Tab-separated table of all heavy atoms in Angstrom:
chain	number	residue	atom	x	y	z
A	1	SER	N	0.811	-1.181	-0.032
A	1	SER	CA	0.016	-0.009	0.019
A	1	SER	C	0.833	1.298	0.004
A	1	SER	O	0.380	2.309	-0.449
A	1	SER	CB	-0.922	0.012	1.210
A	1	SER	OG	-0.107	-0.082	2.480
A	2	ASN	N	2.085	1.167	0.457
A	2	ASN	CA	2.985	2.393	0.546
A	2	ASN	C	3.819	2.519	-0.723
A	2	ASN	O	4.668	3.325	-0.733
A	2	ASN	CB	3.908	2.227	1.754
A	2	ASN	CG	4.802	1.036	1.617
A	2	ASN	OD1	4.497	0.039	1.001
A	2	ASN	ND2	5.862	1.035	2.407
A	3	LYS	N	3.509	1.715	-1.736
A	3	LYS	CA	4.238	1.732	-3.066
A	3	LYS	C	3.236	2.243	-4.139
A	3	LYS	O	2.045	1.894	-4.140
A	3	LYS	CB	4.864	0.454	-3.382
A	3	LYS	CG	5.915	0.049	-2.419
A	3	LYS	CD	6.526	-1.317	-2.825
A	3	LYS	CE	7.663	-1.756	-1.836
A	3	LYS	NZ	8.205	-3.035	-2.306
A	4	LYS	N	3.761	2.947	-5.064
A	4	LYS	CA	2.942	3.371	-6.289
A	4	LYS	C	2.948	2.329	-7.423
A	4	LYS	O	4.049	1.895	-7.749
A	4	LYS	CB	3.504	4.775	-6.785
A	4	LYS	CG	3.342	5.884	-5.845
A	4	LYS	CD	3.849	7.228	-6.386
A	4	LYS	CE	3.644	8.312	-5.428
A	4	LYS	NZ	4.194	9.674	-6.013
A	5	LYS	N	1.785	1.990	-7.833
A	5	LYS	CA	1.744	0.987	-8.841
A	5	LYS	C	2.389	1.400	-10.211
A	5	LYS	O	3.086	0.614	-10.787
A	5	LYS	CB	0.243	0.616	-9.146
A	5	LYS	CG	0.063	-0.450	-10.212
A	5	LYS	CD	-1.411	-0.742	-10.493
A	5	LYS	CE	-1.662	-1.805	-11.559
A	5	LYS	NZ	-3.028	-2.124	-11.759
A	6	SER	N	2.246	2.647	-10.522
A	6	SER	CA	2.816	3.215	-11.772
A	6	SER	C	4.358	3.168	-11.726
A	6	SER	O	5.002	2.866	-12.674
A	6	SER	CB	2.363	4.663	-12.016
A	6	SER	OG	2.779	5.495	-10.941
A	7	LEU	N	4.895	3.400	-10.474
A	7	LEU	CA	6.370	3.334	-10.370
A	7	LEU	C	6.914	1.926	-10.478
A	7	LEU	O	7.965	1.668	-11.135
A	7	LEU	CB	6.768	3.959	-9.017
A	7	LEU	CG	8.282	4.084	-8.660
A	7	LEU	CD1	8.904	5.058	-9.699
A	7	LEU	CD2	8.531	4.574	-7.270
A	8	LEU	N	6.142	0.998	-9.918
A	8	LEU	CA	6.568	-0.414	-10.021
A	8	LEU	C	6.514	-0.890	-11.439
A	8	LEU	O	7.412	-1.625	-11.979
A	8	LEU	CB	5.631	-1.282	-9.161
A	8	LEU	CG	5.887	-1.282	-7.601
A	8	LEU	CD1	4.824	-2.131	-6.879
A	8	LEU	CD2	7.258	-1.713	-7.318
A	9	GLU	N	5.510	-0.430	-12.216
A	9	GLU	CA	5.282	-0.884	-13.608
A	9	GLU	C	6.380	-0.259	-14.480
A	9	GLU	O	6.975	-0.974	-15.327
A	9	GLU	CB	3.970	-0.456	-14.080
A	9	GLU	CG	2.810	-1.264	-13.528
A	9	GLU	CD	1.422	-0.739	-13.901
A	9	GLU	OE1	1.347	0.413	-14.465
A	9	GLU	OE2	0.435	-1.383	-13.685
A	10	ASP	N	6.814	0.938	-14.190
A	10	ASP	CA	7.881	1.612	-14.904
A	10	ASP	C	9.203	0.965	-14.640
A	10	ASP	O	10.022	0.689	-15.556
A	10	ASP	CB	8.037	3.067	-14.488
A	10	ASP	CG	6.870	3.986	-15.069
A	10	ASP	OD1	6.207	3.458	-15.948
A	10	ASP	OD2	6.659	5.076	-14.568
A	11	PHE	N	9.423	0.488	-13.371
A	11	PHE	CA	10.675	-0.149	-13.019
A	11	PHE	C	10.782	-1.568	-13.699
A	11	PHE	O	11.810	-1.868	-14.310
A	11	PHE	CB	10.735	-0.383	-11.442
A	11	PHE	CG	11.823	-1.327	-11.049
A	11	PHE	CD1	13.085	-0.869	-10.981
A	11	PHE	CD2	11.610	-2.607	-10.706
A	11	PHE	CE1	14.149	-1.674	-10.536
A	11	PHE	CE2	12.613	-3.423	-10.308
A	11	PHE	CZ	13.910	-2.979	-10.181
A	12	ARG	N	9.671	-2.273	-13.725
A	12	ARG	CA	9.672	-3.626	-14.388
A	12	ARG	C	9.853	-3.416	-15.867
A	12	ARG	O	10.530	-4.300	-16.488
A	12	ARG	CB	8.439	-4.359	-14.074
A	12	ARG	CG	8.310	-4.738	-12.578
A	12	ARG	CD	6.955	-5.269	-12.111
A	12	ARG	NE	6.926	-5.609	-10.780
A	12	ARG	CZ	5.897	-5.992	-10.082
A	12	ARG	NH1	4.695	-6.159	-10.787
A	12	ARG	NH2	5.888	-6.256	-8.750
A	13	GLU	N	9.271	-2.462	-16.505
A	13	GLU	CA	9.473	-2.201	-17.853
A	13	GLU	C	10.904	-1.880	-18.218
A	13	GLU	O	11.485	-2.266	-19.245
A	13	GLU	CB	8.535	-1.029	-18.394
A	13	GLU	CG	8.613	-0.798	-19.902
A	13	GLU	CD	7.692	0.305	-20.296
A	13	GLU	OE1	6.890	0.762	-19.509
A	13	GLU	OE2	7.768	0.720	-21.483
A	14	LEU	N	11.557	-1.022	-17.388
A	14	LEU	CA	12.881	-0.658	-17.501
A	14	LEU	C	13.774	-1.895	-17.421
A	14	LEU	O	14.775	-2.055	-18.217
A	14	LEU	CB	13.327	0.353	-16.431
A	14	LEU	CG	14.811	0.804	-16.394
A	14	LEU	CD1	15.178	1.464	-17.727
A	14	LEU	CD2	15.027	1.664	-15.182
A	15	ARG	N	13.533	-2.789	-16.526
A	15	ARG	CA	14.403	-3.970	-16.358
A	15	ARG	C	14.211	-4.839	-17.592
A	15	ARG	O	15.294	-5.357	-18.111
A	15	ARG	CB	13.899	-4.768	-15.164
A	15	ARG	CG	14.736	-6.064	-14.938
A	15	ARG	CD	14.407	-6.894	-13.803
A	15	ARG	NE	15.128	-8.090	-13.700
A	15	ARG	CZ	16.336	-8.156	-13.139
A	15	ARG	NH1	16.870	-7.162	-12.526
A	15	ARG	NH2	16.976	-9.281	-13.107
A	16	CYS	N	13.072	-5.031	-18.161
A	16	CYS	CA	12.912	-5.749	-19.409
A	16	CYS	C	13.617	-5.170	-20.554
A	16	CYS	O	14.277	-5.855	-21.368
A	16	CYS	CB	11.403	-5.841	-19.724
A	16	CYS	SG	10.464	-6.905	-18.609
A	17	THR	N	13.634	-3.871	-20.581
A	17	THR	CA	14.394	-3.149	-21.669
A	17	THR	C	15.891	-3.464	-21.576
A	17	THR	O	16.530	-3.666	-22.551
A	17	THR	CB	14.074	-1.682	-21.679
A	17	THR	OG1	12.616	-1.481	-21.773
A	17	THR	CG2	14.786	-0.961	-22.788
A	18	ILE	N	16.375	-3.347	-20.327
A	18	ILE	CA	17.814	-3.535	-20.105
A	18	ILE	C	18.215	-4.907	-20.451
A	18	ILE	O	19.294	-5.203	-21.051
A	18	ILE	CB	18.119	-3.225	-18.648
A	18	ILE	CG1	18.009	-1.694	-18.375
A	18	ILE	CG2	19.527	-3.760	-18.243
A	18	ILE	CD1	18.225	-1.390	-16.893
A	19	GLU	N	17.311	-5.953	-20.129
A	19	GLU	CA	17.684	-7.343	-20.408
A	19	GLU	C	17.684	-7.511	-21.925
A	19	GLU	O	18.549	-8.263	-22.440
A	19	GLU	CB	16.632	-8.212	-19.779
A	19	GLU	CG	16.899	-8.271	-18.212
A	19	GLU	CD	15.797	-9.223	-17.613
A	19	GLU	OE1	14.756	-9.448	-18.279
A	19	GLU	OE2	16.008	-9.619	-16.485
A	20	LYS	N	16.721	-6.970	-22.686
A	20	LYS	CA	16.674	-7.119	-24.110
A	20	LYS	C	17.828	-6.471	-24.803
A	20	LYS	O	18.299	-6.988	-25.825
A	20	LYS	CB	15.344	-6.518	-24.649
A	20	LYS	CG	14.076	-7.311	-24.211
A	20	LYS	CD	12.840	-6.639	-24.711
A	20	LYS	CE	11.594	-7.384	-24.345
A	20	LYS	NZ	10.385	-6.687	-24.820
A	21	MET	N	18.299	-5.367	-24.293
A	21	MET	CA	19.497	-4.765	-24.830
A	21	MET	C	20.771	-5.438	-24.513
A	21	MET	O	21.875	-5.082	-25.055
A	21	MET	CB	19.619	-3.269	-24.311
A	21	MET	CG	18.423	-2.455	-24.725
A	21	MET	SD	18.562	-0.723	-23.920
A	21	MET	CE	20.093	-0.167	-24.670
A	22	GLY	N	20.717	-6.412	-23.672
A	22	GLY	CA	21.910	-7.196	-23.322
A	22	GLY	C	22.903	-6.520	-22.368
A	22	GLY	O	23.991	-6.938	-22.314
A	23	LEU	N	22.384	-5.562	-21.657
A	23	LEU	CA	23.271	-4.796	-20.738
A	23	LEU	C	23.664	-5.595	-19.488
A	23	LEU	O	24.622	-5.201	-18.824
A	23	LEU	CB	22.630	-3.510	-20.348
A	23	LEU	CG	22.306	-2.477	-21.469
A	23	LEU	CD1	21.650	-1.257	-20.955
A	23	LEU	CD2	23.594	-2.132	-22.278
A	24	LEU	N	22.981	-6.665	-19.150
A	24	LEU	CA	23.333	-7.445	-18.045
A	24	LEU	C	24.266	-8.578	-18.357
A	24	LEU	O	24.632	-9.363	-17.491
A	24	LEU	CB	22.023	-8.056	-17.419
A	24	LEU	CG	21.024	-7.016	-16.872
A	24	LEU	CD1	19.853	-7.628	-16.236
A	24	LEU	CD2	21.693	-6.040	-15.857
A	25	ARG	N	24.596	-8.721	-19.676
A	25	ARG	CA	25.578	-9.800	-20.072
A	25	ARG	C	26.937	-9.399	-19.640
A	25	ARG	O	27.365	-8.246	-20.011
A	25	ARG	CB	25.427	-10.120	-21.546
A	25	ARG	CG	24.144	-10.839	-21.968
A	25	ARG	CD	24.265	-11.478	-23.311
A	25	ARG	NE	24.402	-10.473	-24.346
A	25	ARG	CZ	23.365	-9.936	-25.035
A	25	ARG	NH1	22.141	-10.384	-24.752
A	25	ARG	NH2	23.506	-9.037	-25.977
A	26	PRO	N	27.778	-10.245	-19.051
A	26	PRO	CA	29.039	-9.879	-18.558
A	26	PRO	C	30.053	-9.747	-19.744
A	26	PRO	O	29.989	-10.435	-20.771
A	26	PRO	CB	29.477	-11.022	-17.651
A	26	PRO	CG	28.699	-12.182	-18.168
A	26	PRO	CD	27.359	-11.618	-18.667
A	27	ASP	N	30.965	-8.892	-19.552
A	27	ASP	CA	32.102	-8.683	-20.532
A	27	ASP	C	33.315	-9.315	-19.950
A	27	ASP	O	34.007	-8.779	-19.081
A	27	ASP	CB	32.381	-7.212	-20.780
A	27	ASP	CG	33.376	-6.987	-21.955
A	27	ASP	OD1	34.177	-7.826	-22.170
A	27	ASP	OD2	33.350	-5.874	-22.503
A	28	TYR	N	33.691	-10.515	-20.401
A	28	TYR	CA	34.751	-11.290	-19.781
A	28	TYR	C	36.088	-10.610	-19.922
A	28	TYR	O	36.901	-10.642	-18.998
A	28	TYR	CB	34.769	-12.710	-20.417
A	28	TYR	CG	33.598	-13.581	-20.052
A	28	TYR	CD1	32.740	-14.013	-21.042
A	28	TYR	CD2	33.291	-13.839	-18.704
A	28	TYR	CE1	31.603	-14.772	-20.797
A	28	TYR	CE2	32.125	-14.579	-18.386
A	28	TYR	CZ	31.392	-15.073	-19.473
A	28	TYR	OH	30.206	-15.789	-19.105
A	29	LEU	N	36.359	-9.980	-21.083
A	29	LEU	CA	37.607	-9.324	-21.296
A	29	LEU	C	37.783	-8.228	-20.335
A	29	LEU	O	38.875	-7.989	-19.736
A	29	LEU	CB	37.781	-8.864	-22.780
A	29	LEU	CG	39.009	-8.047	-23.079
A	29	LEU	CD1	40.254	-8.916	-22.916
A	29	LEU	CD2	38.962	-7.535	-24.484
A	30	PHE	N	36.719	-7.410	-20.109
A	30	PHE	CA	36.807	-6.245	-19.190
A	30	PHE	C	37.162	-6.736	-17.764
A	30	PHE	O	38.048	-6.167	-17.117
A	30	PHE	CB	35.441	-5.587	-19.205
A	30	PHE	CG	35.397	-4.479	-18.118
A	30	PHE	CD1	35.895	-3.267	-18.231
A	30	PHE	CD2	34.592	-4.766	-16.991
A	30	PHE	CE1	35.789	-2.299	-17.259
A	30	PHE	CE2	34.487	-3.797	-15.974
A	30	PHE	CZ	35.144	-2.602	-16.092
A	31	PHE	N	36.442	-7.701	-17.290
A	31	PHE	CA	36.772	-8.272	-15.897
A	31	PHE	C	38.131	-8.909	-15.801
A	31	PHE	O	38.718	-8.876	-14.739
A	31	PHE	CB	35.610	-9.196	-15.472
A	31	PHE	CG	34.321	-8.394	-15.169
A	31	PHE	CD1	33.131	-8.629	-15.924
A	31	PHE	CD2	34.206	-7.517	-14.079
A	31	PHE	CE1	32.004	-7.946	-15.562
A	31	PHE	CE2	33.068	-6.933	-13.741
A	31	PHE	CZ	31.983	-7.114	-14.525
A	32	PHE	N	38.572	-9.567	-16.880
A	32	PHE	CA	39.899	-10.185	-16.885
A	32	PHE	C	40.952	-9.090	-16.701
A	32	PHE	O	41.839	-9.269	-15.904
A	32	PHE	CB	40.145	-10.972	-18.122
A	32	PHE	CG	41.560	-11.449	-18.274
A	32	PHE	CD1	41.988	-12.517	-17.532
A	32	PHE	CD2	42.421	-10.809	-19.154
A	32	PHE	CE1	43.305	-12.960	-17.692
A	32	PHE	CE2	43.713	-11.239	-19.297
A	32	PHE	CZ	44.162	-12.353	-18.546
């Protein structure tokens, strides 16, 4: 009840966008 539904929906949409863009895939050369 203390959270805004629109904010949660925006956050989940942002996460899906980030995953589709491949931004969460690790760069092995960088970490090496």
